Amino acid sequence: QVQLQESGPGLVKPSQTLSLTCTVSGGSISSGSYYWSWIRQPAGKGLEWIGRIYTSGSTNYNPSLKSRVTISVDTSKNQFSLKLSSVTAADTAVYYCARDSSGWDHDYWGQGTLVTVSS
Amino acid sequence: QSALTQPPSASGSPGQSVTISCTGTSSDVGGYNYVSWYQQHPGKAPKLMIYEVSKRPSGVPDRFSGSKSGNTASLTVSGLQAEDEADYYCSSYAGSPLYVFGTGTKVTVL
């Protein structure tokens, strides 16, 4: 059973860079034809897809965030990461990592981690 | 790309059925058979309930069913149970961005 776990600072100052890591267990991040996504959810609001990465390093980003987002992968650690630069209060949200099944859905999710942007 | 439109709330008594709509455009819901539905309990991660419009992942009860007509997809929960009370989100492949999600529907079991 695949499991995902987000980790990283829960508080980030405005204008700084948000950095999160997702650790995948229960299987190799490189096995199968899967992409690995980041999705966020502001409190009381809906879900927003941020971007995804394949283990080759190929990425797709949401155009609304593309200028500020970098997603990377470390197959040796079975991890993938998110960096979001120049954050503002509007970036405060629960951030989820998830497996993109390549069937255009997300079949496994991490528990989510709250990131608050505040000075 | 705007979020897909869902009703804010829906409700039903135990044993009844409830149907949630998800309206998009020909660029997302109407253009592809890649609509999925997620159940989210408070403080928990979303859980995939339906994929490719009407397919159920292993372990999801057959009380959950999905369909699509034109630019609108629907999720029906039959035989409502107390544990079905949750928020439900639809999602569709949309090209750019790759995925759009719905606005979410809170289902209440009366």
Side-chain angles (χ1 to χ4, degrees), chain A residues 29-30 32 34-36 53-59 72-73 75:
Chain A
I29 197 172
S30 301
Y34 301 116
Y35 282 79
W36 302 90
I53 190 165
Y54 193 64
T55 49
S56 65
S58 173
T59 55
S72 58
V73 65
T75 55

Side-chain angles (χ1 to χ4, degrees), chain B residues 17-73:
Chain B
S17 294
V18 65
T19 297
I20 304 165
S21 62
C22 169
T23 301
T25 69
S26 58
S27 297
D28 38 63
V29 173
Y32 311 93
N33 287 323
Y34 294 128
V35 176
S36 50
W37 289 90
Y38 300 86
Q39 177 191 65
Q40 186 179 35
H41 287 109
K44 301 296 186 181
K47 175 186 176 183
L48 180 65
M49 304 301 283
I50 295 287
Y51 66 100
E52 292 180 13
V53 176
S54 60
K55 298 178 180 179
R56 278 187 312 277
S58 174
V60 173
D62 59 6
R63 303 184 292 104
F64 292 85
S65 62
S67 62
K68 191 187 85 166
S69 178
N71 295 338
T72 298

Side-chain angles (χ1 to χ4, degrees), chain A residues 10-73:
Chain A
L11 181 63
V12 181
K13 289 182 167 51
S15 80
Q16 293 191 341
T17 297
L18 177 160
S19 296
L20 296 174
T21 296
C22 181
T23 301
V24 179
S25 58
S28 170
I29 197 172
S30 301
S31 66
S33 301
Y34 301 116
Y35 282 79
W36 302 90
S37 284
W38 287 98
I39 295 162
R40 69 181 183 179
Q41 183 175 35
K45 296 187 178 181
L47 299 160
E48 180 181 31
W49 178 76
I50 298 169
R52 70 176 190 175
I53 190 165
Y54 193 64
T55 49
S56 65
S58 173
T59 55
N60 302 101
Y61 297 133
N62 190 323
S64 68
L65 298 167
K66 186 175 183 178
S67 64
R68 299 194 291 130
V69 172
T70 302
I71 298 176
S72 58
V73 65

Side-chain angles (χ1 to χ4, degrees), chain A residues 41 52 96 100 105-106 110, chain B residues 38 40 45 51 89 98-99:
Chain A
Q41 183 175 35
R52 70 176 190 175
Y96 294 100
D100 180 333
D105 55 70
H106 293 90
Chain B
Y38 300 86
Q40 186 179 35
Y51 66 100
Y89 292 92
L98 284 182
Y99 296 98

